[in-house]
Amino acid sequence: MISSISRRGNCWDNAVIESFHSNIKSEEFQYVKHNSLSFQEVISRVNAYMEHYNEERIQE
């Protein structure tokens, strides 16, 4: 069985999620003031962005 947890200091394991976080911050929340959205609004925007990211955007 292969463990999904990587060794310490292996930067490539987090590259995909770090890229996603960078994209969502720059594309969805770039012009939003800190604490200006309610929790439900954030959840809604993240869900909408994830749907766009997975189904609508051009895949490279």
Side-chain angles (χ1 to χ4, degrees):
M1 182 168 139
I2 298 174
S3 175
S4 63
I5 299 174
S6 69
R7 293 183 190 180
R8 185 179 204 185
N10 188 354
C11 64
W12 298 112
D13 290 340
N14 290 329
V16 174
I17 195 65
E18 293 291 338
S19 175
F20 176 78
H21 286 160
S22 174
N23 288 341
I24 196 168
K25 283 170 45 178
S26 66
E27 294 175 14
E28 188 65 28
F29 294 102
Q30 181 176 10
Y31 299 110
V32 176
K33 286 187 173 185
H34 184 67
N35 291 335
S36 65
L37 297 175
S38 72
F39 182 73
Q40 290 301 323
E41 289 172 319
V42 171
I43 296 295
S44 174
R45 289 179 76 161
V46 168
N47 287 336
Y49 183 78
M50 288 177 64
E51 183 176 328
H52 164 74
Y53 188 86
N54 289 324
E55 300 175 10
E56 299 170 13
R57 72 179 177 94
I58 297 173
Q59 303 291 319
E60 295 183 32

